[in-house]
Amino acid sequence: MTSSAFLPAPPKTRPLGKSGLTVSGLSWGMWRFKGNDVAAAAALVDAALSSGITLFDTADIYGPDNGEAFGASEALLGKVFAGNKGLRGKMVLATKGGIVIGTPYDSSAAYLTSAIDASLTRLGVEHVDLWQIHRPDVLTHPQEIARTLEDAHKAGKIGAIGVSNFTAAQIDALAHFLTVPLASTQPEYSALTLGPLVSGELDQAMRLGIAVMAWSPLGGGRIADPRSERERAVATALKKVADQYGVSVTAAAFSWIMAHPANPIPIVGSQTPARIREAADAYKVKWTRADWYAVLTASREEPLP
Ligand code: NAP
């Protein structure tokens, strides 16, 4: 007999781990946020906020991938803030640091302290709500990282502390040394990239009460524009459910991520206002186990045992 019960609907707002902050079930990301048109940039921020997104994710390294300078994406957001004084207070602002071009990673106390100060300057703010180590620097002891970030937290420069692209063991080690709870982890996770499902990261997040932010939730856009047989099979399995609820395949892709009991937060990467608004359709979708596992099976390209 096929189970026809629906999985619990993902919440529209949720705690950011044990940080005390409340965030939306979807986030908006600024990896691709670029250019000199501050009005157009402000329209993107407005599209996200007006569709219920309160968690905004940037990083100091966002810029070079768009042919711009290190820090350019943060600086553009800083210009948007400068033009709208009330805006900063309407969002939970997250950034990241620790990637150094040519190194490539540095989480030493001296570097992270300077990186946090530089991000605050570019953003034109005194405090970011969530500060994340962008990629693990295996040459810094987690105790040193913990002390550095706690000092920035005590100084009021950063609120919650998070990580990105850490293994479950690296998360465990940092959480062990932190006296402030580790609020979030940010792995790549989508119907095309299943790593956190099998690495133990989602299970660890539920055990420790850590929020999961899913980067590249559309596989960098490939779910919307599938090229390989595997990508087409995943998009087809998502479309079956999307059609039932009159939403786009991309909205179904976000909701597939959110349906996991860890309630991962997809970071919407679109830089098109209409597509940012449309992401909220993800809340309209209900998943049966059979439909959810059909997407997983299409992605795995082999049946589950
Ligand atoms: P994504 O949502 O997987 O991909 C976004 C891309 O898909 C955009 O180029 C977008 O184009 C395109 N797209 C969306 N809907 C489409 C549609 N219907 N048809 C065709 N193309 C479509 O996310 P992402 O940008 O790769 O990543 C999202 C966020 O994750 C980033 O902004 C960043 O905050 C975070 N991130 C973190 C890390 C990390 O290491 N922590 C790494 C990468 C990303 P349009 O803009 O034209 O809509």
Side-chain angles (χ1 to χ4, degrees):
M1 191 181 81
T2 307
S3 167
S4 58
F6 290 118
L7 298 174
K12 289 195 175 175
T13 60
R14 48 157 298 156
L16 186 73
K18 294 175 181 165
S19 66
L21 293 167
T22 298
V23 296
S24 50
L26 288 159
S27 171
W28 181 62
M30 285 166 266
W31 179 29
R32 303 170 195 272
F33 188 60
K34 62 172 195 245
N36 299 314
D37 186 342
V38 178
L44 295 174
V45 173
D46 181 65
L49 268 177
S50 62
S51 57
I53 290 174
T54 59
L55 178 56
F56 286 68
D57 182 66
T58 186
D60 58 11
I61 192 69
Y62 294 168
D65 285 343
N66 301 318
E68 299 186 335
F70 184 93
S73 185
E74 284 185 335
L76 180 58
L77 185 61
K79 287 180 192 160
V80 173
F81 287 152
N84 182 345
K85 289 295 175 200
L87 188 61
R88 164 69 185 92
K90 293 181 180 164
M91 65 177 67
V92 173
L93 177 60
T95 193
K96 323 178 193 75
I99 299 181
V100 184
I101 292 170
T103 299
Y105 311 129
D106 190 346
S107 288
S108 65
Y111 179 74
L112 289 192
T113 303
S114 68
I116 290 169
D117 287 343
S119 284
L120 295 177
T121 300
R122 280 187 293 268
L123 289 161
V125 302
E126 292 178 353
H127 172 89
V128 291
D129 302 299
L130 172 66
W131 196 87
Q132 305 154 96
I133 300 174
H134 206 150
R135 286 194 177 268
D137 168 24
V138 297
L139 298 178
T140 306
H141 195 292
Q143 191 165 29
E144 179 178 346
I145 298 175
R147 293 295 87 81
T148 307
L149 297 183
E150 281 167 5
D151 285 349
H153 175 78
K154 281 185 207 137
K157 294 177 182 178
I158 68 174
I161 294 168
V163 295
S164 181
N165 303 302
F166 272 42
T167 64
Q170 289 165 339
I171 291 170
D172 196 54
L174 181 59
H176 171 79
F177 288 108
L178 276 170
T179 54
V180 178
L182 186 67
S184 66
T185 181
Q186 186 179 138
E188 182 176 11
Y189 181 48
S190 71
L192 290 177
T193 302
L194 304 171
L197 263 183
V198 290
S199 68
E201 191 170 349
L202 295 185
D203 308 287
Q204 178 188 48
M206 292 186 287
R207 182 167 64 81
L208 299 180
I210 296 175
V212 179
M213 298 169 67
W215 68 257
S216 288
L218 302 178
R222 283 175 294 135
I223 286 178
D225 183 19
R227 305 269 166 94
S228 68
E229 200 176 319
R230 172 175 173 257
E231 289 166 8
R232 277 190 287 276
V234 168
T236 300
L238 288 166
K239 188 172 186 311
K240 177 183 168 248
V241 177
D243 287 350
Q244 285 171 30
Y245 294 94
V247 304
S248 63
V249 169
T250 55
F254 297 139
S255 73
W256 185 87
I257 291 170
M258 295 154 85
H260 186 277
N263 291 144
I265 302 168
I267 313 174
V268 177
S270 176
Q271 304 296 306
T272 307
R275 287 184 184 153
I276 296 170
R277 286 194 197 91
E278 190 193 81
D281 282 349
Y283 296 110
K284 297 178 183 168
V285 180
K286 293 181 188 168
W287 288 92
T288 63
R289 278 185 166 68
D291 286 339
W292 194 92
Y293 277 115
V295 175
L296 181 68
T297 303
S299 183
R300 284 165 45 92
E301 296 185 288
E302 61 178 359
L304 287 156

